[in-house]
Amino acid sequence: MSDAGGSDPLAAAFADGPAFVPYLAVGDPDYESSLAYVEALAEGGADVIELGLPFSEPIAEGPTIQNAVVRALEAGMTPTRFFEFVADLDVDVPLVCMTYYNLIYQFGSEQGPRPFVERAASVGISGFVVPDLPAEEAGALREACDEFGLDLVSIVAPTTGEDRLEKLVAVSSGYIYVQARLGVTGASSSVSDRTTESLARLEGVDLPKAVGFGISSGEQAATVVEAGADGVIVGSALVDIVAEGHESNEPTEATADRLESKARELKEGALEGYGRRTPTPEGTSD
Amino acid sequence: MSSDAASGDRSGGDGDGEWVPAGDGKFGRYGGQYVPEALMPAIEELTDAYERYVLNNEDGFVDEFRRRIRDFGGRPTPLQRADRLSERYDTEVYLKREDLLHGGAHKLNNALGQVLLATYMGKERIIAETGAGQHGTATAMAAAHLDMPCEVYMGERDINRQRPNVFRMKINGSAVTPVTTGRGTLKEAISETMRDWATNVEDTHYVIGSVVGPHPFPKMVRDFQALISEEAREQVVDRTGGLPDSVVACAGGGSNTMGSFHHFVDDESVELLAVEAGGSSLAVDETEGVAPNSASLSTGTEGVLHGARTKLLQDGDGQIVESHSVSSGLDYAGVGPELAHLVDEDRVTPVNVDDDAAIEGFHRLSQEEGIIPALETAHAFGYLHEHHDELGDVTVINVSGRGDKDLDTAIEETAKRDVSNAPDMSMFNGGLR
């Protein structure tokens, strides 16, 4: 489990330069491999890891992650197994649970998000991203997060206007997930101009901004960080590696190695983008 | 409009200039807006348009809608006394003939309303999901009628079950995109349409096909479909001199159900019965993740799916299970949040009949009244047969659609079982093709 302590481990992860925030669907393609893959991302330089708890109706996901969700569910992943997985993980970066609201709502003996959040806190989860929970419906989850000291990360879309931004920021903590383009998750070859616009609109918000949706290479990570992002979120490009490994019956260690080197490429890209953005003042380039 | 502003018997917004608000989209504990942030601005824009045009007739929207649903759609539909069934059951049985609406089902009420609204909103493209193909067909017709490009998402399995409707959509000029994820039915088609909407939200309107989804869809779709009960209530009072004792409608997502019930909700003496698909069994198979039924009102539990909190077929973890019904139009794991609320309030009684009773109902209405009903509709007649002595002296049954689209399925399903009232169909050799 995570032993990243402190009052706000997510904020701390963004404190020393740009954060690399990878995502994987937990249990894809099976429990043991998935443990190795998440640990490989930590080895490769992840600063925060988003762990996807698979839901049967992932309406915000593109084909890559939809297929990962199907593989994980078929291999028996459940919320209870997910918490066992988190407890079994040997990594020392903060962990964020990304899932859909119905799984959070149904967990435990009483309805509502509290039992899920309590359990998540007990295994060392630091926060949540819930793609189908806009600020309007987030009240109960925010309350439970406050009770157990966890963060609720909100997604800001290219379509989010000023008035909504205020509502969103009011229920957010940890970091802001800046959706780089419209649509669903998935790797793509270019970083949209709208990312820059979104970052500009968020300039006054006192939370780290991590950009996701479509980032698949170190160069793209560099571009996004150079444009002002405090972090990069990468999901589909990593899930693609898991899928290739699974389809070609590659040994788990070999897939893990490829994930680790992809993670390094993305982390280094983020650092390079940061270097481009801040011309080194004299005497501090150690 | 509509239910409220135009016919004006359920709210204070009728004709006196008082602005009717869209509200917050909650029905008791159900409803809400559980959608990705990227869609929220579009949902807000739609809520604003719903309030202005539909509830308050801005720019004469409601007048144009009523004119078009009359001239293009064929409203009002008749209320017909079912002579043979009335005699058989010793109950006055009245049929609300939505099967006579253009397209052969109640679906056009909503599809025409929403496509017209999209033109008022300045949208340039229509997308829709479809299960049985009835909503897709109605949307394709409305889009052609109003000159809007249209793309319909349909599960691959449903495409194979409902080929005539696929052809109808294409002939009307719509694109039909197969959805191959999951089991390839309505649930997956809705998810895929939401993904398209999240990608193209700025110029595209999503014409959802039932009283499901995030606010304002459940209210707005109900208001368009409420023409059914607006007419039926007036017609039955004209014919019988009073209110009916009961109103019966089949329920999948619940659009014909809410449309049939809406103007009777305040008439407390009228019993409202929502007939769900009992499929082959009411149990949920947790290990397989399958419910061999679509009875979310009767057996479902509270949860969040496709934008709303409602009653769902789900396993103990909250994973949505695959539903089943012999009629693909009822084959959905959720139900409209307002229906869920009315059931909790004991205003609507959820009942169900199994596949066998629906097939028998299909043959009975065909033989005794000369009306071949959709398999969805046939569930209501299966219920009538089993419970006619509980429906009072006068009952109104909504004939939500005609059965032309279901002939292949009806023949196959009849061949599979021992249906006492079926004609000899051996000449079809198990199918029409």
Side-chain angles (χ1 to χ4, degrees), chain B residues 256 334 408 422:
Chain B
N256 99 83
D408 271 341

Side-chain angles (χ1 to χ4, degrees), chain A residues 56-57 102 105-106 137 164, chain B residues 33 44 187 302 318-319:
Chain A
S56 56
E57 310 304 314
N102 199 44
Y105 188 73
Q106 302 299 339
E137 308 289 352
R164 293 199 51 76
Chain B
Q33 300 176 311
E44 288 178 341
K187 175 166 73 74
E302 186 185 325
Q319 304 288 5

Side-chain angles (χ1 to χ4, degrees), chain B residues 175-192:
Chain B
V176 179
T177 305
V179 178
T180 55
T181 50
R183 209 178 49 126
T185 62
L186 179 58
K187 175 166 73 74
E188 290 80 23
I190 293 179
S191 294
E192 196 59 28

Side-chain angles (χ1 to χ4, degrees), chain A residues 11-20 47 208 225 229-231 267 270-271 274 277:
Chain A
F14 286 84
D16 312 318
F20 165 51
D47 298 290
V225 170
D230 301 304
K267 173 72 185 181
L271 287 169
Y274 191 68
R277 179 175 60 179

Side-chain angles (χ1 to χ4, degrees), chain A residues 54-59 61 66 73 78 102-103 105-106 131-132 134 137 155 157 159-160 164 182-184 194, chain B residues 26 32-38 40-41 44 181 187 191 195 198-199 202 302-305 309 314 317-320:
Chain A
F55 176 53
S56 56
E57 310 304 314
I59 57 170
E61 315 297 351
Q66 284 178 50
L73 288 174
T78 65
N102 199 44
L103 297 188
Y105 188 73
Q106 302 299 339
D132 64 344
E137 308 289 352
I155 298 174
T159 44
T160 305
R164 293 199 51 76
L182 283 175
V184 292
R194 300 186 81 161
Chain B
K26 297 282 205 284
Q33 300 176 311
Y34 296 86
V35 294
E37 170 60 26
M40 281 306 295
E44 288 178 341
T181 50
K187 175 166 73 74
S191 294
R195 293 183 188 111
T199 308
E202 288 159 308
E302 186 185 325
V304 173
L305 175 65
R309 182 185 296 208
Q314 57 187 331
D317 288 334
Q319 304 288 5
I320 310 306

Side-chain angles (χ1 to χ4, degrees), chain B residues 1 4-6 8 10-22 51-52 54-58:
Chain B
M1 108 166 181
D4 292 349
R10 295 206 61 220
S11 88
D14 50 325
D16 55 6
E18 188 183 324
W19 187 261
V20 182
E51 184 170 297
R52 285 164 49 204
V54 183
L55 292 179
N56 296 286
N57 196 23
E58 200 171 295

Side-chain angles (χ1 to χ4, degrees), chain B residues 337-354:
Chain B
E338 186 175 16
L339 265 176
H341 173 63
L342 290 171
V343 165
D344 277 8
E345 298 282 293
D346 291 326
R347 183 64 195 95
V348 167
T349 309
V351 295
N352 59 80
V353 298
D354 62 17

